[in-house]
Amino acid sequence: MVQTLDATFALPARAPSRRVLWQPWVYLAPTLATLVVWIYWPLIEAAYLSFFQWNMLPTATPRYVGVENYANLLTLPEMGRAVRNTVLYILGLLPLSVVLPTAIAILTQDLSGPFRSLYRSLIFIPMIIAPIVAAVLWRWLLNEDHGLVNAGIEVLGLTPVGFLKDPSIALWTLVWITGWKLIGFATLLLSAANGTIDPGYVEAARMDGASRWQVIRDIRLPLLSPTILLLTMMTILFGAQWSFVYINALTGGGPLQSTTNVFYLMWDYGFQSYSAGWSATAGMLTFAGFGVIAMLCLRLMKRFAVHEG
């Protein structure tokens, strides 16, 4: 009887007020506005501009050319060279931003006390140096005539090396400089992820007679896979872009365009050749290419990442 009365006189559920419905959007409004103003609107403008030829002068009228910019860039030898160099930048950075930091993070996991803090401080120092300051520093160190690196090479009785002037090694020199800046960040990220692994897994494996290498192979590396895959994706998507400062400050895309990548080419078209249409077209091609790569990377992360629990 009591249950029947309770059901009869139960109050109807109140519909959410308008304030409750709009409140989350009020909190999200600044972030959404930032995304629209600084990302999506410039992207739409770049897509629109890629169908025009314009020299960026206020007195000049953009001329519509349709897909001519795309056809020209896709057949341009320097664009093909820039794409090739972009791939080389990415492949060269992967060992420095993923493989080496993973090894350092695992091998130094057992350090304790002041040694742990000392190595973390030393390895993180390059990350806090401004890129342009790092570029000036490396220009001085690698100078062919009076740089410290070549001075050391001469002491060994070898011929000085034109690190930034030799087309065969200039790109790999910039890869090293970019990777040198990234090693500290990647190592600290992997060290933090390594520190969150449940020690019980390691102790259980050791009780079963597992060697240190077996613990690394079967426990640490699988559980570090989300962080490793994240760093791999970041290197693939942003590695060549991170090299732009060093290309601009140290080689200017040379010698013989051996260090030019697609990001430097975009800047060169826009601010050196004043061809805004070509710059926007290169940007849209790069956006489309890396967009596809990003989707593939996300799918691979979901498929191969191993999570604890």
Coordinates of all heavy atoms in Angstrom, one line a residue, residues 106-153:
I106 N 65.4 3.7 -19.1 CA 65.4 2.4 -18.5 C 66.7 2.1 -17.7 O 66.7 1.6 -16.6 CB 65.1 1.3 -19.6 CG1 63.7 1.5 -20.1 CG2 65.3 -0.1 -19.0 CD1 63.3 0.5 -21.2
L107 N 67.8 2.4 -18.3 CA 69.1 2.1 -17.7 C 69.4 2.9 -16.5 O 70.2 2.5 -15.6 CB 70.2 2.3 -18.8 CG 70.2 1.3 -20.0 CD1 71.3 1.6 -21.0 CD2 70.3 -0.1 -19.5
T108 N 68.8 4.1 -16.4 CA 69.0 5.0 -15.2 C 67.9 4.9 -14.2 O 67.9 5.7 -13.3 CB 69.2 6.4 -15.7 OG1 68.0 6.9 -16.4 CG2 70.4 6.6 -16.6
Q109 N 67.0 4.0 -14.4 CA 65.9 3.8 -13.5 C 66.3 3.5 -12.0 O 65.7 4.0 -11.1 CB 64.9 2.8 -14.0 CG 63.6 2.6 -13.1 CD 62.8 3.8 -13.1 OE1 62.8 4.6 -14.0 NE2 62.1 4.0 -12.0
D110 N 67.4 2.8 -11.9 CA 67.8 2.4 -10.5 C 68.7 3.4 -9.9 O 69.1 3.2 -8.7 CB 68.6 1.1 -10.6 CG 67.7 -0.1 -11.2 OD1 66.5 0.0 -10.9 OD2 68.3 -1.0 -11.8
L111 N 69.0 4.5 -10.5 CA 69.8 5.6 -9.9 C 68.9 6.2 -8.7 O 67.7 6.3 -8.8 CB 70.2 6.7 -10.9 CG 71.2 6.3 -11.9 CD1 71.4 7.5 -12.8 CD2 72.5 5.9 -11.3
S112 N 69.6 6.6 -7.7 CA 68.9 7.2 -6.6 C 69.8 8.4 -6.0 O 71.0 8.5 -6.3 CB 68.6 6.2 -5.5 OG 69.8 5.6 -5.0
G113 N 69.2 9.2 -5.2 CA 69.9 10.3 -4.5 C 70.3 11.4 -5.4 O 69.6 11.6 -6.4
P114 N 71.4 12.0 -5.2 CA 71.9 13.2 -6.0 C 72.2 12.8 -7.4 O 72.1 13.6 -8.3 CB 73.1 13.7 -5.2 CG 73.6 12.5 -4.5 CD 72.4 11.7 -4.1
F115 N 72.6 11.6 -7.7 CA 73.0 11.2 -9.0 C 71.8 11.2 -10.0 O 71.9 11.6 -11.1 CB 73.6 9.8 -9.0 CG 74.9 9.7 -8.3 CD1 75.0 9.1 -7.1 CD2 76.0 10.2 -8.9 CE1 76.2 9.0 -6.4 CE2 77.3 10.1 -8.3 CZ 77.3 9.5 -7.0
R116 N 70.6 10.8 -9.5 CA 69.4 10.9 -10.3 C 69.0 12.3 -10.6 O 68.7 12.6 -11.8 CB 68.2 10.2 -9.5 CG 67.0 10.0 -10.3 CD 65.9 9.4 -9.4 NE 64.7 9.1 -10.1 CZ 64.4 8.0 -10.6 NH1 65.2 7.0 -10.6 NH2 63.2 7.8 -11.3
S117 N 69.1 13.2 -9.7 CA 68.7 14.6 -9.9 C 69.8 15.2 -10.8 O 69.4 16.0 -11.7 CB 68.6 15.4 -8.6 OG 67.7 14.8 -7.7
L118 N 71.1 14.9 -10.7 CA 72.1 15.4 -11.5 C 71.9 15.1 -12.9 O 72.0 15.9 -13.8 CB 73.5 15.0 -11.0 CG 74.7 15.5 -11.8 CD1 74.8 17.0 -11.7 CD2 76.0 14.8 -11.3
Y119 N 71.7 13.8 -13.2 CA 71.6 13.4 -14.6 C 70.4 14.0 -15.3 O 70.4 14.4 -16.4 CB 71.6 11.8 -14.7 CG 70.3 11.2 -15.1 CD1 69.9 11.1 -16.5 CD2 69.4 10.7 -14.2 CE1 68.7 10.5 -16.8 CE2 68.2 10.1 -14.5 CZ 67.9 10.0 -15.9 OH 66.7 9.5 -16.2
R120 N 69.3 14.1 -14.5 CA 68.1 14.7 -15.1 C 68.3 16.2 -15.4 O 67.8 16.7 -16.4 CB 66.9 14.5 -14.1 CG 66.4 13.1 -14.0 CD 65.1 13.0 -13.3 NE 64.5 11.6 -13.4 CZ 63.3 11.3 -12.9 NH1 62.6 12.2 -12.2 NH2 62.8 10.1 -13.0
S121 N 69.0 16.8 -14.5 CA 69.3 18.3 -14.7 C 70.2 18.4 -16.0 O 69.9 19.3 -16.8 CB 69.9 18.9 -13.5 OG 69.1 18.8 -12.4
L122 N 71.2 17.6 -16.1 CA 72.1 17.8 -17.2 C 71.5 17.5 -18.5 O 71.7 18.1 -19.5 CB 73.3 16.8 -17.0 CG 74.3 17.2 -15.9 CD1 75.4 16.2 -15.7 CD2 74.9 18.6 -16.1
I123 N 70.6 16.4 -18.5 CA 70.0 16.0 -19.8 C 68.9 16.9 -20.2 O 68.5 17.0 -21.4 CB 69.6 14.6 -19.7 CG1 69.5 13.9 -21.1 CG2 68.2 14.5 -19.1 CD1 69.4 12.4 -21.1
F124 N 68.3 17.7 -19.3 CA 67.2 18.6 -19.6 C 67.7 20.0 -20.0 O 66.9 20.8 -20.5 CB 66.2 18.7 -18.4 CG 64.9 19.3 -18.7 CD1 64.0 18.6 -19.5 CD2 64.5 20.5 -18.3 CE1 62.8 19.1 -19.9 CE2 63.3 21.1 -18.6 CZ 62.4 20.3 -19.4
I125 N 68.9 20.3 -19.7 CA 69.4 21.7 -20.0 C 69.2 22.1 -21.4 O 68.8 23.2 -21.7 CB 70.9 21.8 -19.6 CG1 71.0 21.9 -18.0 CG2 71.6 23.0 -20.2 CD1 72.4 21.9 -17.5
P126 N 69.5 21.2 -22.4 CA 69.3 21.7 -23.8 C 67.9 22.1 -24.1 O 67.6 23.0 -25.0 CB 69.7 20.4 -24.6 CG 70.7 19.7 -23.8 CD 70.2 19.9 -22.4
M127 N 66.9 21.5 -23.4 CA 65.5 21.8 -23.7 C 65.1 23.2 -23.3 O 64.3 23.8 -23.9 CB 64.6 20.8 -23.0 CG 63.2 20.8 -23.3 SD 62.9 20.4 -25.0 CE 61.2 20.9 -25.3
I128 N 65.8 23.8 -22.3 CA 65.4 25.1 -21.8 C 66.2 26.2 -22.5 O 65.9 27.4 -22.2 CB 65.6 25.2 -20.2 CG1 67.1 25.0 -19.9 CG2 64.7 24.2 -19.5 CD1 67.3 25.1 -18.4
I129 N 67.1 25.8 -23.3 CA 67.9 26.8 -24.1 C 67.0 27.3 -25.3 O 66.5 26.4 -26.0 CB 69.2 26.3 -24.6 CG1 70.1 25.9 -23.4 CG2 69.9 27.3 -25.5 CD1 71.4 25.3 -23.8
A130 N 66.9 28.6 -25.5 CA 66.1 29.1 -26.6 C 66.7 28.6 -28.0 O 67.9 28.5 -28.1 CB 66.1 30.6 -26.6
P131 N 65.8 28.2 -28.9 CA 66.3 27.6 -30.2 C 67.3 28.5 -30.9 O 68.3 28.0 -31.4 CB 65.0 27.4 -31.0 CG 64.0 27.2 -30.0 CD 64.4 28.1 -28.8
I132 N 67.1 29.8 -30.9 CA 68.0 30.6 -31.7 C 69.3 30.7 -31.0 O 70.4 30.8 -31.6 CB 67.4 32.0 -31.9 CG1 68.2 32.9 -32.8 CG2 67.2 32.7 -30.5 CD1 68.3 32.3 -34.2
V133 N 69.3 30.7 -29.6 CA 70.6 30.7 -28.9 C 71.3 29.4 -29.1 O 72.5 29.4 -29.3 CB 70.3 30.9 -27.4 CG1 71.5 30.7 -26.5 CG2 69.6 32.2 -27.1
A134 N 70.6 28.3 -29.2 CA 71.2 27.0 -29.5 C 71.8 27.0 -30.9 O 72.9 26.5 -31.1 CB 70.2 25.9 -29.3
A135 N 71.1 27.6 -31.8 CA 71.6 27.7 -33.2 C 72.9 28.5 -33.2 O 73.9 28.1 -33.9 CB 70.6 28.4 -34.1
V136 N 73.0 29.6 -32.5 CA 74.2 30.5 -32.5 C 75.4 29.7 -31.8 O 76.5 29.7 -32.3 CB 74.0 31.8 -31.7 CG1 75.3 32.5 -31.6 CG2 73.0 32.6 -32.5
L137 N 75.0 28.9 -30.8 CA 76.0 28.1 -30.1 C 76.6 27.1 -31.0 O 77.9 26.9 -31.1 CB 75.4 27.5 -28.8 CG 76.3 26.5 -28.1 CD1 77.5 27.1 -27.5 CD2 75.5 25.8 -27.0
W138 N 75.8 26.4 -31.7 CA 76.3 25.3 -32.6 C 77.0 25.9 -33.8 O 77.9 25.3 -34.4 CB 75.1 24.4 -33.0 CG 74.7 23.4 -32.0 CD1 73.7 23.5 -31.2 CD2 75.5 22.2 -31.7 NE1 73.7 22.4 -30.3 CE2 74.8 21.6 -30.6 CE3 76.6 21.6 -32.2 CZ2 75.2 20.4 -30.0 CZ3 77.1 20.5 -31.6 CH2 76.3 19.9 -30.5
R139 N 76.6 27.1 -34.3 CA 77.3 27.7 -35.4 C 78.8 28.0 -35.0 O 79.7 27.8 -35.8 CB 76.6 29.0 -35.8 CG 77.4 29.7 -36.9 CD 76.8 31.1 -37.1 NE 75.5 31.0 -37.7 CZ 75.2 30.9 -39.0 NH1 76.2 30.8 -39.9 NH2 74.0 30.8 -39.5
W140 N 78.9 28.4 -33.7 CA 80.3 28.7 -33.2 C 81.1 27.4 -33.0 O 82.2 27.3 -33.4 CB 80.2 29.4 -31.9 CG 81.5 29.7 -31.2 CD1 82.6 30.3 -31.7 CD2 81.9 29.2 -30.0 NE1 83.6 30.3 -30.8 CE2 83.2 29.6 -29.7 CE3 81.2 28.4 -29.0 CZ2 83.9 29.3 -28.5 CZ3 81.9 28.1 -27.8 CH2 83.2 28.5 -27.6
L141 N 80.4 26.4 -32.5 CA 81.1 25.1 -32.2 C 81.5 24.4 -33.5 O 82.6 23.7 -33.6 CB 80.2 24.2 -31.4 CG 80.0 24.6 -29.9 CD1 78.9 23.6 -29.3 CD2 81.3 24.5 -29.1
L142 N 80.7 24.5 -34.6 CA 80.9 23.7 -35.8 C 81.6 24.5 -36.9 O 81.7 24.1 -38.0 CB 79.5 23.2 -36.3 CG 78.8 22.3 -35.4 CD1 77.4 21.9 -36.0 CD2 79.6 21.0 -35.1
N143 N 82.0 25.7 -36.6 CA 82.7 26.6 -37.6 C 83.9 25.8 -38.2 O 84.7 25.2 -37.4 CB 83.1 27.9 -37.0 CG 83.7 28.9 -38.0 OD1 84.8 28.8 -38.3 ND2 82.8 29.7 -38.5
E144 N 84.0 25.9 -39.5 CA 85.0 25.1 -40.2 C 86.4 25.7 -39.9 O 87.4 24.9 -39.9 CB 84.8 25.1 -41.7 CG 85.6 24.1 -42.4 CD 85.2 24.0 -43.9 OE1 84.2 24.7 -44.3 OE2 85.8 23.2 -44.6
D145 N 86.5 27.0 -39.6 CA 87.9 27.6 -39.4 C 88.3 27.6 -38.0 O 89.5 27.3 -37.7 CB 87.8 29.0 -40.0 CG 87.5 29.0 -41.5 OD1 88.0 28.1 -42.2 OD2 86.8 29.9 -41.9
H146 N 87.5 28.0 -37.1 CA 87.9 28.1 -35.7 C 86.9 27.5 -34.7 O 86.9 27.9 -33.5 CB 88.1 29.6 -35.3 CG 87.0 30.5 -35.7 ND1 86.9 31.2 -36.9 CD2 85.9 30.8 -35.0 CE1 85.8 31.9 -37.0 NE2 85.1 31.7 -35.8
G147 N 86.1 26.6 -35.1 CA 85.1 26.0 -34.2 C 85.8 24.9 -33.3 O 86.8 24.3 -33.7
L148 N 85.3 24.7 -32.1 CA 85.9 23.8 -31.1 C 85.9 22.4 -31.7 O 86.8 21.6 -31.4 CB 85.2 23.9 -29.8 CG 85.5 25.2 -29.0 CD1 84.7 25.1 -27.7 CD2 86.9 25.4 -28.7
V149 N 84.8 22.0 -32.3 CA 84.7 20.6 -32.8 C 85.8 20.3 -33.9 O 86.5 19.3 -33.8 CB 83.3 20.4 -33.4 CG1 83.2 19.0 -34.0 CG2 82.2 20.5 -32.4
N150 N 85.9 21.2 -34.8 CA 87.0 21.0 -35.8 C 88.4 21.2 -35.2 O 89.3 20.6 -35.7 CB 86.8 22.0 -37.0 CG 85.9 21.5 -38.0 OD1 86.0 20.3 -38.5 ND2 84.9 22.3 -38.5
A151 N 88.5 22.0 -34.2 CA 89.8 22.1 -33.5 C 90.2 20.7 -32.9 O 91.3 20.3 -33.0 CB 89.8 23.1 -32.4
G152 N 89.2 20.0 -32.3 CA 89.4 18.7 -31.8 C 89.7 17.7 -32.9 O 90.6 16.8 -32.7
I153 N 89.1 17.8 -34.0 CA 89.4 17.0 -35.2 C 90.8 17.1 -35.7 O 91.5 16.2 -36.0 CB 88.3 17.2 -36.3 CG1 86.9 16.7 -35.8 CG2 88.7 16.5 -37.6 CD1 85.8 17.0 -36.8

